[in-house]
């Protein structure tokens, strides 16, 4: 099974990615992990990315695309993969399509998780993060029950920042939904409900 997970921030993609990767026995590949691996290993692509990041600039598509394409040649993806956080634009989606066609490994599906913006704001603005271990809790939690650390609200969990993140998603990433709908690959599920309920919907949609 080779598929992409898309949806707005706060839809629960990270949580579902873990469940789905385990269920299908495939690696969960996130762009964040790919960047960290290349930077840690000092690969030529990692060094290119670091040059842009050190100057406070966005890493261009050309570098990001090649990092992803390289990751998809690793032996662990032979049985499939779950891509999370890529592609973010239709240009990246076009590149990925060409790269996978060249590898004779086309996508099986694109799973879109949908949820109202009001629910996203409620979810994200109502969570707190432990300064010690990074564990996430609801706002009512007094302190971290794992390490006793102080809980705080991250800047990107503040309502005005969340609204901006949703605008960026709508402008840049949401258009890929139309791209994959035209490709006949899109599967859409509601992200409302318990983790198990959403996972069940996802597995059912991907198994069609």
């Amino acid at each position: 099974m080779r598929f992409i997970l898309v949806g707005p921030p706060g839809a629960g993609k990270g949580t579902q990615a873990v469940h789905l990767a385990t269920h299908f026995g495939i690696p969960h590949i996130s762009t964040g992990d790919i960047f960290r691996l290349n930077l840690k290993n000092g690969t030529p692509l990692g060094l290119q990315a670091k040059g842009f990041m050190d100057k406070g600039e966005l890493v261009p598509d050309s570098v990001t695309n090649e990092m992803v394409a390289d990751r998809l040649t690793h032996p662990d993806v032979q049985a499939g993969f779950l891509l999370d956080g890529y592609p973010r634009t239709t240009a990246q989606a076009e590149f990925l399509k060409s790269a996978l066609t060249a590898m004779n490994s086309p996508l099986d599906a694109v799973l879109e998780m949908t949820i109202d913006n009001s629910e996203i704001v409620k979810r994200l603005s109502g969570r707190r993060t432990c300064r010690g271990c990074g564990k996430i809790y609801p706002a009512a939690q007094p302190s971290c029950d794992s390490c006793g650390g102080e809980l705080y609200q991250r800047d990107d969990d503040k309502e005005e920042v969340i609204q901006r993140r949703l605008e960026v998603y709508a402008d840049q990433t949401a258009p890929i939904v139309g791209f994959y709908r035209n490709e006949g690959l899109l599967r859409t599920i509601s992200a409302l409900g318990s983790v198990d309920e959403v996972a069940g919907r996802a597995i059912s949609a991907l198994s069609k």
Side-chain angles (χ1 to χ4, degrees):
M1 171 65 72
R2 295 179 294 273
F3 70 98
I4 296 168
L5 195 57
V6 299
K13 297 188 299 298
T15 300
Q16 290 304 322
V18 174
H19 281 262
L20 296 173
T22 300
H23 176 82
F24 290 106
I26 55 178
H28 167 211
I29 301 173
S30 74
T31 46
D33 290 342
I34 295 172
F35 269 83
R36 282 187 287 273
L37 183 64
N38 278 273
L39 290 169
K40 179 182 176 182
N41 294 339
T43 67
L45 287 169
L47 293 174
Q48 283 187 57
K50 187 175 185 299
F52 289 100
M53 294 163 69
D54 286 348
K55 291 185 288 187
E57 298 175 2
L58 291 176
V59 178
D61 275 4
S62 58
V63 177
T64 303
N65 288 343
E66 290 303 328
M67 280 189 183
V68 173
D70 174 73
R71 179 65 182 86
L72 295 179
T73 65
H74 292 197
D76 65 333
V77 303
Q78 289 183 358
F81 57 80
L82 186 171
L83 262 181
D84 174 18
Y86 180 94
R88 291 185 181 275
T89 64
T90 50
Q92 290 181 348
E94 290 278 12
F95 173 86
L96 180 64
K97 178 182 177 181
S98 297
L100 291 177
T101 298
M103 298 174 192
N104 196 29
S105 301
L107 288 172
D108 294 306
V110 174
L111 183 68
E112 179 195 21
M113 295 175 61
T114 61
I115 185 170
D116 288 341
N117 283 0
S118 59
E119 180 64 25
I120 290 172
V121 172
K122 180 181 174 183
R123 279 187 183 185
L124 296 184
S125 63
R127 70 183 187 180
R128 300 295 182 267
T129 303
C130 174
R131 290 191 189 277
C133 66
K135 195 171 179 181
I136 294 175
Y137 294 93
Q141 180 81 12
S143 63
C144 178
D145 58 15
S146 292
C147 72
E150 176 194 0
L151 303 185
Y152 75 105
Q153 185 179 39
R154 297 184 337 194
D155 286 342
D156 59 356
D157 284 342
K158 293 178 179 176
E159 185 169 348
E160 61 273 17
V161 180
I162 297 167
Q163 294 287 5
R164 177 57 187 150
R165 291 169 66 195
L166 291 172
E167 289 172 8
V168 170
Y169 175 79
D171 289 342
Q172 297 180 4
T173 307
I176 71 171
V177 170
F179 175 87
Y180 285 119
R181 182 180 290 113
N182 291 338
E183 294 283 308
L185 294 170
L186 193 67
R187 313 280 187 272
T188 301
I189 64 165
S190 168
L192 278 176
S194 70
V195 171
D196 287 342
E197 287 171 341
V198 178
R201 285 183 212 127
I203 292 166
S204 176
L206 290 166
S207 301
K208 290 180 180 177

